[in-house]
Amino acid sequence: MLSNRIGIILVTALAPAIWGTTYLVTTELLPPDRPLLAATVRALPAGLLLVLLTRRLPQGAWWWRAMVLGALNIGVFFALLFVAAYRLPGGVAATITALQPLLVAGLAAGLLGERLTRRIVLAGLAGVAGVSVLVLRADARMDALGVAAALGSAVVMATGVVLSKRWTSPAPLLATTGWQLVAGGLLLLPVTLLVEGPPPAGLTGENLAGYAYLATIGAALAYALWFRGIRALSPTDVTFLGLLSPLVATTLGWLALDQRLTVPQALGGLVVLAALVSAQTGRKPARAPESVPVAASVPEPAPEPSGEVPSGAGPSGGTPSVSSTSST
C-alpha cells in the first residue's frame, strides 16, 4: 500500500514538473506578449484530441459539471493568472499562488471532511516562505488589481481541485480530462480574441513546436496525470506537489538560460522540498471499521459463492481511495 501510494505521488508530481517548463518554452519558442493565446492553444486542441480519442461525451449532470470544473481548473484560472502576470512581477504572483495548498486544505476540511492538521498548516506556510525566497525580488512592486487576480487564481484553482475530488466522474479519466480542457479552452477563446486579437501571421516552426509541446505534454499528458492523482490521493497531497512548478522553472532558468542562482534561492528551494515532503508524511493509519456483534453476524448461513464481484469492490465500484482513509 505504501509503495503504491509513493508511486502515485511520484507520477502525479510529473504534472507540476512539466508545468514548470512552461516559462522556458514560452520565452524561447513562442511569440512574445501572447499569454492568452498560449493558454487557449494549450487547452482547446488538447481537449478536442482527448475527446476524439475516447469518443465519450458528458452525460446528465456532467455537462454542467464539466463546464464548472473546466472554468475553475483551466479557463478562469488562466485568465486571472494572465492578469496577475501582467500587473505583478513573476515572483510576487508565484508567492501569492503558493497559498493554494493552504486553501485546498481548508476547502477539503469543509467540503470533504478531511482533517486540517498542524503539520499541514506549517508545511503550507513553509511552502509560501520557500517560494518567496526562491523567486521574490527585493524591488518587487505591488499592484492591488494584480494581487487580487493572483489571489483569485489560487482560490478558483483550489476550488477546482477539491470539487474534482468531490465529483467523481463515471467516465474514463482521459474523457473527463478532455471535457475540462475543451470547456476551459472555449471559455478562453473569446477572451483571447478580444484582448489579443487573432493569432499572429507567419508563425515560425519554433512557434508551432512550442504550441505543440504545450498542448500535448503541457496539457493533455500533464492534466491527465494531475486529475489521476486527485482521484487516487487527498487533494491536499496533490496540491502540495504544485510547489514543484516554481522550483523546476527556477532550476531550468539556471541550467538552460544561464540565470543566476543565489545561495538564498537554493535554501528557498530546499525549504520548498521540505514542505512538500512534510505534507506527504506523518499520516495516521486508516481507522478500522466498527466491529459487528457476533450475534448479529450469524443468524443465517452464508449463501453459496456465485462468482460475482460484490458491488463497490471493483475498480469503479466506489472502493475507498487512499485519500478517504487518511488524515491531512
Side-chain angles (χ1 to χ4, degrees):
M1 177 70 74
L2 180 61
S3 61
N4 182 52
R5 180 175 181 275
I6 293 175
I8 294 173
I9 289 174
L10 293 176
V11 171
T12 306
L14 290 175
I18 290 171
W19 294 331
T21 67
T22 301
Y23 173 78
L24 179 64
V25 172
T26 301
T27 56
E28 297 301 301
L29 298 180
L30 300 187
D33 301 326
R34 291 298 183 108
L36 280 178
L37 176 62
T40 304
V41 172
R42 178 182 176 184
L44 190 54
L48 292 173
L49 175 63
L50 292 180
V51 170
L52 288 174
L53 287 176
T54 58
R55 293 185 292 181
R56 290 285 296 269
L57 292 176
Q59 299 292 325
W62 270 97
W63 281 104
W64 66 266
R65 285 184 177 181
M67 293 296 296
V68 171
L69 292 177
L72 293 173
N73 288 320
I74 297 160
V76 177
F77 171 69
F78 279 145
L80 289 173
L81 205 59
F82 158 77
V83 175
Y86 261 72
R87 301 188 68 94
L88 295 173
V92 175
T95 301
I96 294 173
T97 54
L99 290 167
Q100 190 180 122
L102 287 172
L103 296 173
V104 169
L107 288 172
L111 296 177
L112 304 177
E114 296 187 357
R115 292 183 63 237
L116 182 60
T117 64
R118 182 187 304 173
R119 175 187 291 270
I120 290 297
V121 173
L122 292 178
L125 294 175
V128 175
V131 170
S132 67
V133 174
L134 183 67
V135 300
L136 197 58
R137 299 293 177 264
D139 58 350
R141 71 187 189 282
M142 303 298 286
D143 174 84
L145 181 58
V147 170
L151 282 172
S153 69
V155 170
V156 298
M157 184 64 169
T159 306
V161 168
V162 175
L163 286 181
S164 295
K165 183 67 175 183
R166 185 180 178 89
W167 295 338
T168 302
S169 170
L173 173 66
L174 291 182
T176 307
T177 303
W179 302 342
Q180 294 190 49
L181 287 170
V182 169
L186 290 175
L187 188 64
L188 284 168
L189 182 59
V191 179
T192 300
L193 295 175
L194 180 64
V195 175
E196 296 181 355
L203 292 174
T204 67
E206 285 188 346
N207 298 154
L208 295 175
Y211 285 131
Y213 173 84
L214 291 181
T216 56
I217 307 300
L221 174 62
Y223 273 104
L225 295 176
W226 183 252
F227 292 135
R228 176 180 180 270
I230 292 175
R231 285 190 177 189
L233 301 168
S234 159
T236 304
D237 290 345
V238 173
T239 196
F240 265 96
L241 298 176
L243 296 175
L244 287 172
S245 287
L247 186 60
V248 170
T250 302
T251 303
L252 287 177
W254 173 52
L255 293 175
L257 303 179
D258 200 26
Q259 293 178 350
R260 186 175 173 223
L261 183 65
T262 65
V263 172
Q265 282 182 295
L267 293 176
L270 291 177
V271 171
V272 169
L273 288 176
L276 192 155
V277 172
S278 176
Q280 310 295 334
T281 58
R283 311 174 69 83
K284 293 185 178 181
R287 191 190 320 178
E290 295 182 5
S291 58
V292 180
V294 175
S297 63
V298 293
E300 297 183 33
E304 291 293 327
S306 62
E308 297 179 356
V309 179
S311 174
S316 61
T319 303
S321 63
V322 175
S323 64
S324 65
T325 60
S326 56
S327 304
T328 56

